[in-house]
Structure formats: C-alpha cells, structure tokens
Amino acid sequence: KQEVTQIPAALSVPEGENLVLNCSFTDSAIYNLQWFRQDPGKGLTSLLLIQSSQREQTSGRLNASLDKSSGRSTLYIAASQPGDSATYLCAVAPYNFNKFYFGSGTKLNVKP
Amino acid sequence: SQTIHQWPATLVQPVGSPLSLECTVEGTSNPNLYWYRQAAGRGLQLLFYSVGIGQISSEVPQNLSASRPQDRQFILSSKKLLLSDSGFYLCAWRGTANQPQHFGDGTRLSIL
C-alpha cells in the first residue's frame, strides 16, 4: 500500500525566505502527484499537478518537482509572504487513478 | 467554469441520529466524485468514490454510506451516527485522470 510522508510537520520562517516542503512516497508507480494548500477550517485548494512523465511544474512563486525513482517531490516557495501561511498537502494517484493517498501535511507559518 | 458546492457548512448532531451531506458539481459532466474525512490533526481518509450514477466504491468499512442519484450529485449518509463520525468531511471531483482534483469547502460535523 502506498504511504505518503511529509516532513517537517510544521515550519516557521521569516517573511521573504525561500523554502522547500518535502513529500515522499513508497511506491514509485504513480500516475501523478498534486500539491494543495489548506487554510484553517477550509477545503483544499489545488496548487500544482505533476504528471508522472514530468519533472516539474511552476505557477507564480511556486515550483514543484517530481523524482519518481527516488519517491520524492518538493514544493519550492520563493520569497515567502505571511499570506502563504497554511497547511500544505501532497497527494499521489496510482495507476488505479480513483484512489488518492495523502500526506498528513506541513503546517507553514510565515512571520512578518 | 466548474464549481463544487457542499452543504451544510457545519452540523451538530446527537448520537444515533441520521445524517445526510450533499455535494453538487456544476459546469462539467460525468465527473469522478469523492468523499473524504479529515480528523483533527490527521490526513485525509478516502471514504467513497464514484465514477458514474449509481456506482459507488467504498474504501473503509464504517457507519456511513454514499449514493449518486444524479450525474453531478453525491450524497453521504448514515442511519445512526456514532461519536467517532465527528470530523471534517470533504467532497472532491475530478474529470479525466490527467486533471487535478478540486475540493469543496467542507462540512464540519460534531456529534454530541
């Protein structure tokens, strides 16, 4: 069974710092990987989707990379802002794409 | 554009009472639909998914059931709620396997 791990569980950084969030998965046979942010008490907002054939995806200050062979993905946030404070989750979809496996998230706090 | 609606936003129910949570998607046809539960401080647990009307797959044996009476409507139900059913319930949809998941705003369910 696929297991998804996100380390660290929490991260606190000063505003303006570049940072990296990590996501690792045990089974490299994935179809795609998706990053989300979740604000307290809210649903999940999709940030980036990386297909298994891709190495990275970019959206604004966000860049997500995927290394299937090592079972890892990273989410890079450039020039962090207080508005980036949220919990970030990754989810992997196996080739049976109707199942998704989520990590437990990294709670990010960007201090002004 | 596509939108997803979940209601109610919050619900307080006594133990042993029935439950009905509704999710609808607009702006797309034949979506894959999902129900997740998020317990406090934990990751998302996939409860049910559906690839079409009347087609429901259950991921976790539990006190809950799901139905899809219409193409873009997904309902989560219980005949008798347990204390352990408390949590944050999220509905999501996706089109094809290459497309991202999109989530509703969630329902906070508290069992007394």
Side-chain angles (χ1 to χ4, degrees):
Chain A
K1 179 188 172 183
Q2 177 76 267
E3 291 186 5
V4 182
T5 304
Q6 291 187 248
I7 295 174
L11 181 63
S12 184
V13 300
E15 181 177 4
E17 239 184 53
N18 302 324
L19 59 99
V20 175
L21 305 181
N22 298 296
C23 173
S24 60
F25 45 94
T26 55
D27 186 348
S28 62
I30 67 169
Y31 198 83
N32 53 44
L33 184 147
Q34 191 170 358
W35 282 94
F36 299 88
R37 77 172 270 167
Q38 184 177 28
D39 295 292
K42 301 293 186 181
L44 278 66
T45 300
S46 177
L47 297 175
L48 290 163
L49 174 70
I50 311 179
Q51 306 298 340
S52 60
S53 58
Q54 297 175 319
R55 294 300 298 265
E56 65 178 67
Q57 280 286 329
T58 298
S59 176
R61 294 183 294 109
L62 305 179
N63 176 277
S65 68
L66 176 63
D67 184 344
K68 265 200 340 176
S69 61
S70 66
R72 287 192 290 186
S73 176
T74 61
L75 179 67
Y76 175 82
I77 303 177
S80 58
Q81 303 170 357
D84 296 329
S85 298
T87 297
Y88 290 80
L89 298 107
C90 67
V92 300
Y95 279 99
N96 176 0
F97 70 90
N98 281 316
K99 296 185 180 184
F100 298 91
Y101 298 93
F102 277 81
S104 53
T106 294
K107 187 174 183 179
L108 173 65
N109 178 36
V110 181
K111 299 171 289 186
Chain B
S1 65
Q2 301 91 357
T3 56
I4 180 169
H5 302 281
Q6 262 188 266
W7 66 92
T10 59
L11 190 60
V12 180
Q13 292 284 94
V15 170
S17 63
L19 173 73
S20 181
L21 302 181
E22 192 162 338
C23 171
T24 59
V25 180
E26 296 177 356
T28 188
S29 58
N30 197 31
N32 290 308
L33 296 172
Y34 309 88
W35 277 112
Y36 291 88
R37 177 169 58 203
Q38 186 176 37
R42 298 175 63 180
L44 270 71
Q45 180 185 39
L46 179 63
L47 302 175
F48 301 94
Y49 66 89
S50 172
V51 299
I53 296 174
Q55 301 179 61
I56 308 295
S57 295
S58 173
E59 288 298 298
V60 180
Q62 62 216 325
N63 187 40
L64 302 169
S65 62
S67 62
R68 185 170 176 174
Q70 300 181 42
D71 181 46
R72 290 168 289 176
Q73 184 185 30
F74 205 22
I75 297 172
L76 183 69
S77 304
S78 174
K79 293 181 180 178
K80 287 186 177 182
L81 286 167
L82 307 172
L83 283 174
S84 58
D85 292 323
S86 292
F88 191 46
Y89 288 82
L90 290 155
C91 180
W93 75 274
R94 183 159 86 160
T96 66
N98 291 331
Q99 295 173 324
Q101 283 185 90
H102 298 282
F103 281 77
D105 290 334
T107 295
R108 177 76 57 193
L109 176 63
S110 299
I111 310 300
L112 303 179

